[in-house]
Amino acid sequence: MAVYDYDLFVIGGGSGGVRAARVAAALGKRVGIAEEYRYGGTCVIRGCVPKKLYVYASQFPEHFADAAGYGWTVPQASFDWQTLVANKDREISRLEAIYRKNVQGAGGETFQSRAMLVDPHGVQLLGEDRTVTADQILIATGGRPAPHPALPGHNHCISSNEAFDLKELPKAIMIEGGGYIAVEFANIFHGLGVETTLVYRGKEILSRFDMDLRRMLHETMEKKGIKILCHAVSEWVRKRPDGRLDAVVTGGRVLTVDQVMLAIGRLPNTENMGLEGLGIEMTRTGAIHVDQYSRTSIDNIWAIGDVTNRVQLTPVAIHEAMCFVETAFKGNPTAPDHETIATAVFSQPEIGTVGLSEDEAIKRFSDVEVYRATFRPMRNTLSGRDEKMLMKLVVDGASKKVLGAHILGPDAGEMAQLLGIPLKAGLTKDDFDRTMAVHPTAAEELVTMYKPTYRVRDGERA
């Protein structure tokens, strides 16, 4: 029997890779993990965590304005971008140290190095100029923002990576894309006082989300002052003598801005890792193809997280890591469950959603009931803010099973997390109906919508 340096070697120190390394090490396995940039990965370093901090920062102007209706007199406020960036950096560094410490505390060995596969059991650590061997290898290298090399002037553009660390806050920005990253950053920059234009090639922002959420968020963002151009793309970007940028979009419209941010999707980090040489099967987009247990086309090599392009969410990568440990080291083959995943878009107002959209449900079920309520949340009454909230349940008319729950409004993400439990459990609308409401809350609408707003039978609305 071959003797290896490690029972498990993990390539990639993001949320999924670190979880797998830490849990496997805690089982007594000899574990090594290599990360070429910073431990914590996209989510902690340049994704979910700093984004949420910036969302909080961008919400304060509305809080200050709303305070007057509640009797508060708030002095003229000012914002300092450099202070926000510095405080964000401090928090990220703290979290990064925790991620590394957790692996080491469990008995794993951490490396600050790029890693490449040289054979099915060999990993070359470029930063250490040596090769180590492992019985099992897990690839968890994540993804990165997709560039747009075909766009003339793309070299003048930034991505979400750079947006967190700009030297100064722009006065005007154009963001290309209509997914959650583009939408979230549009709201962040607008909230911080930046003139913001969102350019999207599709007919409506946030494809794959429920259409009611998409339309209502679009309308609300425009009321706030965010310009949204759909059915449009950038055609070229040119730097002006004064240092600003001219971006030409579909129809010849010229937008003069300080920054152009591209948020047009993400690509898996699989280049120059030796994967092709080993014959590891990959998709057309460069993602690693895996079976239901996260195993690649080579038996002892596995992959989890964004690099597999299954569901690009941090909690999913962590779940896949736990399933991998069960399968590889506990003799308990466990396939990740990618059905009915709750998610949030930290727009303003934010979105929380779980399960099927109305359109998806109609395609799968012949009788669909839709329960829908729009109202002004209580917090907006004394403030005078006319922003509305949306609650929506999508139900199978035959079984009464709740297929989808969709929320637009304050704390929608928090509610979606809790709604994920009853939807995952397969509970019915009757279960919702006999649940007592918590009053006064916005969430009580979810258990007090007793009659369907409308039904859709065989694709026809009744």
Side-chain angles (χ1 to χ4, degrees):
M1 183 176 179
V3 177
Y4 301 106
D5 298 322
Y6 298 97
D7 299 310
L8 170 66
F9 199 93
V10 181
I11 303 176
S15 297
V18 165
R19 176 62 64 91
R22 180 172 63 81
V23 175
L27 293 175
K29 304 300 180 182
R30 295 169 301 146
V31 176
I33 180 171
E35 168 58 49
E36 69 172 326
Y37 180 54
R38 298 179 69 181
Y39 279 83
T42 296
C43 179
V44 172
I45 305 302
R46 48 195 177 191
C48 323
V49 173
K51 172 201 64 187
K52 190 70 180 290
L53 295 175
Y54 282 25
V55 167
Y56 287 141
S58 67
Q59 290 173 338
F60 281 101
E62 289 188 355
H63 295 335
F64 296 148
D66 290 350
Y70 287 89
W72 290 92
T73 300
V74 180
Q76 181 67 36
S78 63
F79 172 70
D80 184 75
W81 170 255
Q82 283 75 23
T83 297
L84 173 62
V85 173
N87 289 343
K88 177 268 298 182
D89 287 343
R90 188 179 304 112
E91 174 61 9
I92 296 310
S93 294
R94 184 186 73 85
L95 293 174
E96 179 185 12
I98 290 173
Y99 267 64
R100 186 193 292 261
K101 182 179 178 181
N102 283 346
V103 174
Q104 295 170 343
E109 189 174 2
T110 60
F111 297 92
Q112 195 75 49
S113 172
R114 179 171 178 80
M116 291 181 58
L117 296 176
V118 293
D119 61 54
H121 293 280
V123 180
Q124 183 181 5
L125 300 175
L126 277 67
E128 306 234 340
D129 194 25
R130 67 185 175 111
T131 298
V132 298
T133 59
D135 180 32
Q136 304 294 314
I137 295 173
L138 177 66
I139 302 171
T141 47
R144 67 188 185 281
H148 193 350
L151 173 67
H154 66 89
N155 53 301
H156 300 308
C157 303
I158 63 171
S159 71
S160 57
N161 287 352
E162 295 78 31
F164 290 114
D165 299 296
L166 295 173
K167 291 183 179 179
E168 60 183 25
L169 189 66
K171 292 182 174 63
I173 190 169
M174 186 198 95
I175 301 175
E176 180 158 8
Y180 73 94
I181 294 175
V183 168
E184 288 173 339
F185 271 100
N187 282 274
I188 288 170
F189 280 113
H190 170 76
L192 296 178
V194 179
E195 181 183 329
T196 303
T197 303
L198 188 66
V199 175
Y200 180 48
R201 64 182 180 181
K203 66 178 181 180
E204 187 56 278
I205 58 173
L206 294 177
S207 63
R208 296 190 297 276
F209 284 79
D210 187 86
M211 185 57 78
D212 279 339
L213 296 178
R214 299 166 67 187
R215 288 173 178 156
M216 192 165 170
L217 178 61
H218 183 146
E219 293 169 3
T220 305
M221 288 172 62
E222 289 194 320
K223 284 181 181 178
K224 289 174 183 283
I226 300 171
K227 301 181 183 69
I228 301 177
L229 307 178
C230 290
H231 294 296
V233 296
S234 56
E235 296 181 344
W236 53 260
V237 177
R238 182 177 300 159
K239 195 161 190 176
R240 295 158 48 104
D242 62 3
R244 303 190 80 198
L245 301 174
D246 282 338
V248 174
V249 301
T250 302
R253 181 173 179 176
V254 180
L255 303 175
T256 301
V257 296
D258 301 291
Q259 295 286 353
V260 173
M261 175 178 160
L262 300 178
I264 54 175
R266 294 179 64 80
L267 297 175
N269 288 324
T270 53
E271 293 88 352
N272 303 316
M273 287 184 60
L275 305 184
E276 298 89 346
L278 295 183
I280 292 179
E281 184 180 348
M282 291 188 283
T283 69
R284 182 179 56 83
T285 59
I288 297 175
H289 179 76
V290 293
D291 67 11
Q292 61 178 327
Y293 299 109
S294 300
R295 193 191 303 266
T296 72
S297 51
I298 296 179
D299 283 349
N300 71 296
I301 300 179
W302 315 67
I304 60 171
D306 290 3
V307 77
T308 67
N309 197 25
R310 288 177 286 184
V311 179
Q312 296 186 24
L313 294 170
T314 298
V316 173
I318 293 172
H319 171 67
E320 291 170 356
M322 298 301 290
C323 293
F324 157 73
V325 172
E326 289 288 326
T327 303
F329 296 115
K330 290 188 176 182
N332 179 31
T334 304
D337 182 357
H338 294 113
E339 293 297 318
T340 317
I341 298 172
T343 190
V345 179
F346 293 105
S347 49
Q348 298 174 42
E350 69 186 54
I351 283 174
T353 183
V354 57
L356 300 182
S357 67
E358 178 181 339
D359 289 342
E360 289 171 329
I362 290 170
K363 292 176 183 177
R364 300 192 197 183
F365 297 86
S366 61
D367 184 7
V368 173
E369 297 177 347
V370 177
Y371 298 76
R372 188 181 186 278
T374 57
F375 56 94
R376 186 164 68 159
M378 182 179 285
R379 70 168 63 181
N380 289 349
T381 54
L382 296 189
S383 70
R385 187 173 298 279
D386 65 356
E387 202 167 284
K388 295 292 199 318
M389 192 165 187
L390 168 67
M391 299 277 193
K392 182 174 180 179
L393 295 177
V394 180
V395 177
D396 175 18
S399 68
K400 299 301 181 183
K401 179 180 177 180
V402 180
L403 305 173
H406 312 285
I407 305 167
L408 176 73
D411 303 317
E414 302 288 343
M415 285 185 260
Q417 175 65 85
L418 297 178
L419 282 166
I421 300 170
L423 264 71
K424 194 71 173 178
L427 298 189
T428 67
K429 184 62 169 61
D430 293 337
D431 295 316
F432 277 62
D433 291 346
R434 67 170 181 264
T435 300
M436 292 291 183
V438 178
H439 182 75
T441 65
E444 68 183 289
E445 291 288 334
L446 294 165
V447 297
T448 57
M449 294 186 290
Y450 298 117
K451 294 184 178 180
T453 307
Y454 55 87
R455 303 179 77 134
V456 181
R457 289 193 175 98
D458 297 321
E460 297 293 327
R461 185 163 166 171

Short mmCIF file of all heavy atoms in Angstrom, two decimals, residues 332-365:
data_model
loop_
_atom_site.label_atom_id
_atom_site.label_comp_id
_atom_site.label_asym_id
_atom_site.label_seq_id
_atom_site.Cartn_x
_atom_site.Cartn_y
_atom_site.Cartn_z
N ASN A 332 -19.77 6.84 4.47
CA ASN A 332 -21.20 7.16 4.39
C ASN A 332 -21.45 8.00 3.15
O ASN A 332 -21.56 9.23 3.23
CB ASN A 332 -21.63 7.91 5.65
CG ASN A 332 -23.10 8.30 5.61
OD1 ASN A 332 -23.91 7.61 5.02
ND2 ASN A 332 -23.43 9.42 6.25
N PRO A 333 -21.53 7.38 1.96
CA PRO A 333 -21.71 8.15 0.73
C PRO A 333 -22.91 9.09 0.82
O PRO A 333 -24.04 8.66 1.05
CB PRO A 333 -21.94 7.06 -0.33
CG PRO A 333 -21.26 5.85 0.23
CD PRO A 333 -21.48 5.93 1.72
N THR A 334 -22.63 10.38 0.69
CA THR A 334 -23.65 11.41 0.87
C THR A 334 -23.58 12.39 -0.29
O THR A 334 -22.56 13.05 -0.49
CB THR A 334 -23.45 12.16 2.20
OG1 THR A 334 -23.44 11.22 3.28
CG2 THR A 334 -24.56 13.18 2.42
N ALA A 335 -24.66 12.48 -1.04
CA ALA A 335 -24.72 13.42 -2.16
C ALA A 335 -25.26 14.76 -1.68
O ALA A 335 -26.25 14.80 -0.95
CB ALA A 335 -25.62 12.86 -3.27
N PRO A 336 -24.65 15.86 -2.07
CA PRO A 336 -25.18 17.17 -1.70
C PRO A 336 -26.59 17.35 -2.23
O PRO A 336 -26.92 16.91 -3.33
CB PRO A 336 -24.22 18.15 -2.37
CG PRO A 336 -22.97 17.37 -2.61
CD PRO A 336 -23.41 15.96 -2.86
N ASP A 337 -27.43 17.97 -1.44
CA ASP A 337 -28.82 18.24 -1.82
C ASP A 337 -28.91 19.67 -2.31
O ASP A 337 -28.83 20.62 -1.52
CB ASP A 337 -29.73 18.01 -0.61
CG ASP A 337 -31.20 18.23 -0.94
OD1 ASP A 337 -31.51 18.60 -2.09
OD2 ASP A 337 -32.05 18.05 -0.04
N HIS A 338 -29.09 19.85 -3.61
CA HIS A 338 -29.14 21.18 -4.20
C HIS A 338 -30.57 21.66 -4.47
O HIS A 338 -30.76 22.65 -5.19
CB HIS A 338 -28.33 21.20 -5.50
CG HIS A 338 -26.87 20.99 -5.31
ND1 HIS A 338 -26.20 19.87 -5.77
CD2 HIS A 338 -25.92 21.73 -4.69
CE1 HIS A 338 -24.92 19.95 -5.46
NE2 HIS A 338 -24.72 21.07 -4.80
N GLU A 339 -31.54 20.99 -3.90
CA GLU A 339 -32.93 21.39 -4.11
C GLU A 339 -33.39 22.35 -3.00
O GLU A 339 -32.98 22.23 -1.85
CB GLU A 339 -33.84 20.16 -4.12
CG GLU A 339 -33.62 19.23 -5.31
CD GLU A 339 -33.93 19.88 -6.63
OE1 GLU A 339 -34.95 20.60 -6.72
OE2 GLU A 339 -33.17 19.69 -7.59
N THR A 340 -34.24 23.28 -3.37
CA THR A 340 -34.92 24.19 -2.42
C THR A 340 -33.90 24.91 -1.54
O THR A 340 -33.86 24.76 -0.32
CB THR A 340 -35.94 23.43 -1.55
OG1 THR A 340 -36.68 22.51 -2.36
CG2 THR A 340 -36.91 24.39 -0.88
N ILE A 341 -33.07 25.71 -2.19
CA ILE A 341 -32.04 26.47 -1.49
C ILE A 341 -32.51 27.92 -1.31
O ILE A 341 -32.82 28.61 -2.28
CB ILE A 341 -30.72 26.46 -2.27
CG1 ILE A 341 -30.19 25.02 -2.40
CG2 ILE A 341 -29.68 27.35 -1.61
CD1 ILE A 341 -29.01 24.88 -3.33
N ALA A 342 -32.56 28.36 -0.07
CA ALA A 342 -32.92 29.75 0.20
C ALA A 342 -31.76 30.67 -0.17
O ALA A 342 -30.59 30.31 0.00
CB ALA A 342 -33.27 29.92 1.68
N THR A 343 -32.08 31.85 -0.68
CA THR A 343 -31.03 32.80 -1.03
C THR A 343 -31.56 34.21 -0.87
O THR A 343 -32.77 34.44 -0.76
CB THR A 343 -30.52 32.56 -2.46
OG1 THR A 343 -29.35 33.35 -2.68
CG2 THR A 343 -31.58 32.94 -3.49
N ALA A 344 -30.63 35.16 -0.87
CA ALA A 344 -31.00 36.56 -0.70
C ALA A 344 -30.22 37.42 -1.68
O ALA A 344 -29.10 37.08 -2.08
CB ALA A 344 -30.73 37.02 0.73
N VAL A 345 -30.83 38.53 -2.06
CA VAL A 345 -30.14 39.57 -2.82
C VAL A 345 -30.17 40.80 -1.93
O VAL A 345 -31.25 41.28 -1.58
CB VAL A 345 -30.84 39.87 -4.16
CG1 VAL A 345 -30.11 40.98 -4.91
CG2 VAL A 345 -30.93 38.61 -5.01
N PHE A 346 -29.00 41.30 -1.56
CA PHE A 346 -28.96 42.43 -0.64
C PHE A 346 -29.02 43.75 -1.41
O PHE A 346 -28.16 44.61 -1.32
CB PHE A 346 -27.73 42.33 0.26
CG PHE A 346 -27.83 41.14 1.18
CD1 PHE A 346 -27.09 40.00 0.95
CD2 PHE A 346 -28.72 41.16 2.25
CE1 PHE A 346 -27.21 38.89 1.79
CE2 PHE A 346 -28.85 40.06 3.08
CZ PHE A 346 -28.10 38.93 2.85
N SER A 347 -30.11 43.84 -2.16
CA SER A 347 -30.48 45.08 -2.83
C SER A 347 -31.17 45.96 -1.78
O SER A 347 -31.26 45.60 -0.61
CB SER A 347 -31.41 44.78 -4.01
OG SER A 347 -32.46 43.92 -3.59
N GLN A 348 -31.68 47.11 -2.21
CA GLN A 348 -32.40 47.97 -1.28
C GLN A 348 -33.68 48.44 -1.94
O GLN A 348 -33.62 49.35 -2.76
CB GLN A 348 -31.50 49.14 -0.87
CG GLN A 348 -30.24 48.66 -0.15
CD GLN A 348 -29.27 49.77 0.15
OE1 GLN A 348 -29.66 50.86 0.56
NE2 GLN A 348 -27.99 49.52 -0.05
N PRO A 349 -34.84 47.82 -1.62
CA PRO A 349 -35.05 46.81 -0.59
C PRO A 349 -34.49 45.45 -1.01
O PRO A 349 -34.30 45.19 -2.19
CB PRO A 349 -36.57 46.74 -0.48
CG PRO A 349 -37.06 47.15 -1.84
CD PRO A 349 -36.08 48.19 -2.32
N GLU A 350 -34.24 44.60 0.00
CA GLU A 350 -33.61 43.32 -0.28
C GLU A 350 -34.61 42.26 -0.66
O GLU A 350 -35.83 42.40 -0.42
CB GLU A 350 -32.74 42.87 0.89
CG GLU A 350 -33.47 42.48 2.14
CD GLU A 350 -32.51 42.17 3.29
OE1 GLU A 350 -31.64 43.01 3.61
OE2 GLU A 350 -32.62 41.07 3.86
N ILE A 351 -34.10 41.21 -1.26
CA ILE A 351 -34.91 40.07 -1.70
C ILE A 351 -34.53 38.84 -0.89
O ILE A 351 -33.35 38.59 -0.65
CB ILE A 351 -34.68 39.80 -3.20
CG1 ILE A 351 -35.44 40.81 -4.06
CG2 ILE A 351 -35.10 38.37 -3.58
CD1 ILE A 351 -35.16 40.70 -5.55
N GLY A 352 -35.53 38.09 -0.48
CA GLY A 352 -35.33 36.78 0.11
C GLY A 352 -36.23 35.80 -0.61
O GLY A 352 -37.42 36.07 -0.82
N THR A 353 -35.68 34.68 -1.03
CA THR A 353 -36.48 33.77 -1.84
C THR A 353 -36.05 32.32 -1.62
O THR A 353 -34.89 32.05 -1.34
CB THR A 353 -36.35 34.14 -3.34
OG1 THR A 353 -37.19 33.31 -4.13
CG2 THR A 353 -34.91 34.01 -3.82
N VAL A 354 -37.00 31.41 -1.72
CA VAL A 354 -36.71 29.98 -1.61
C VAL A 354 -37.74 29.22 -2.42
O VAL A 354 -38.93 29.57 -2.42
CB VAL A 354 -36.70 29.52 -0.14
CG1 VAL A 354 -38.01 29.80 0.56
CG2 VAL A 354 -36.34 28.03 -0.03
N GLY A 355 -37.31 28.21 -3.14
CA GLY A 355 -38.24 27.38 -3.90
C GLY A 355 -38.51 27.91 -5.29
O GLY A 355 -37.76 28.73 -5.83
N LEU A 356 -39.61 27.45 -5.88
CA LEU A 356 -39.92 27.74 -7.27
C LEU A 356 -40.53 29.13 -7.44
O LEU A 356 -41.34 29.58 -6.63
CB LEU A 356 -40.92 26.71 -7.82
CG LEU A 356 -40.49 25.24 -7.82
CD1 LEU A 356 -41.59 24.40 -8.45
CD2 LEU A 356 -39.17 25.05 -8.56
N SER A 357 -40.14 29.80 -8.52
CA SER A 357 -40.83 31.02 -8.91
C SER A 357 -42.20 30.64 -9.48
O SER A 357 -42.48 29.47 -9.76
CB SER A 357 -40.04 31.77 -9.97
OG SER A 357 -40.01 31.02 -11.19
N GLU A 358 -43.04 31.64 -9.66
CA GLU A 358 -44.36 31.37 -10.24
C GLU A 358 -44.23 30.75 -11.63
O GLU A 358 -44.90 29.75 -11.95
CB GLU A 358 -45.17 32.65 -10.32
CG GLU A 358 -46.54 32.48 -10.94
CD GLU A 358 -47.33 33.78 -11.05
OE1 GLU A 358 -47.02 34.73 -10.31
OE2 GLU A 358 -48.26 33.83 -11.89
N ASP A 359 -43.35 31.30 -12.46
CA ASP A 359 -43.20 30.78 -13.82
C ASP A 359 -42.69 29.34 -13.83
O ASP A 359 -43.15 28.51 -14.62
CB ASP A 359 -42.24 31.67 -14.62
CG ASP A 359 -42.85 33.02 -14.96
OD1 ASP A 359 -44.09 33.14 -14.89
OD2 ASP A 359 -42.10 33.96 -15.27
N GLU A 360 -41.75 29.02 -12.93
CA GLU A 360 -41.24 27.66 -12.85
C GLU A 360 -42.33 26.69 -12.38
O GLU A 360 -42.46 25.58 -12.90
CB GLU A 360 -40.06 27.60 -11.87
CG GLU A 360 -38.80 28.28 -12.38
CD GLU A 360 -37.73 28.38 -11.32
OE1 GLU A 360 -38.07 28.50 -10.11
OE2 GLU A 360 -36.54 28.34 -11.67
N ALA A 361 -43.11 27.13 -11.42
CA ALA A 361 -44.18 26.27 -10.89
C ALA A 361 -45.22 25.97 -11.96
O ALA A 361 -45.71 24.83 -12.07
CB ALA A 361 -44.83 26.93 -9.68
N ILE A 362 -45.56 26.96 -12.75
CA ILE A 362 -46.56 26.77 -13.80
C ILE A 362 -46.10 25.75 -14.83
O ILE A 362 -46.91 24.98 -15.37
CB ILE A 362 -46.88 28.13 -14.46
CG1 ILE A 362 -47.65 29.02 -13.48
CG2 ILE A 362 -47.69 27.94 -15.75
CD1 ILE A 362 -47.80 30.46 -13.96
N LYS A 363 -44.78 25.71 -15.09
CA LYS A 363 -44.25 24.74 -16.05
C LYS A 363 -44.32 23.32 -15.51
O LYS A 363 -44.44 22.36 -16.27
CB LYS A 363 -42.80 25.09 -16.39
CG LYS A 363 -42.64 26.37 -17.19
CD LYS A 363 -41.16 26.69 -17.40
CE LYS A 363 -40.97 28.01 -18.13
NZ LYS A 363 -39.54 28.36 -18.27
N ARG A 364 -44.27 23.15 -14.18
CA ARG A 364 -44.18 21.82 -13.58
C ARG A 364 -45.52 21.30 -13.05
O ARG A 364 -45.70 20.09 -12.93
CB ARG A 364 -43.17 21.83 -12.43
CG ARG A 364 -41.76 22.20 -12.83
CD ARG A 364 -40.81 21.89 -11.67
NE ARG A 364 -39.53 22.56 -11.81
CZ ARG A 364 -38.52 22.42 -10.97
NH1 ARG A 364 -38.65 21.61 -9.92
NH2 ARG A 364 -37.39 23.07 -11.15
N PHE A 365 -46.43 22.21 -12.74
CA PHE A 365 -47.69 21.80 -12.10
C PHE A 365 -48.87 22.35 -12.88
O PHE A 365 -48.85 23.49 -13.36
CB PHE A 365 -47.74 22.29 -10.64
CG PHE A 365 -46.67 21.70 -9.77
CD1 PHE A 365 -45.41 22.28 -9.70
CD2 PHE A 365 -46.92 20.55 -9.02
CE1 PHE A 365 -44.41 21.73 -8.90
CE2 PHE A 365 -45.93 20.00 -8.22
CZ PHE A 365 -44.68 20.59 -8.16
#
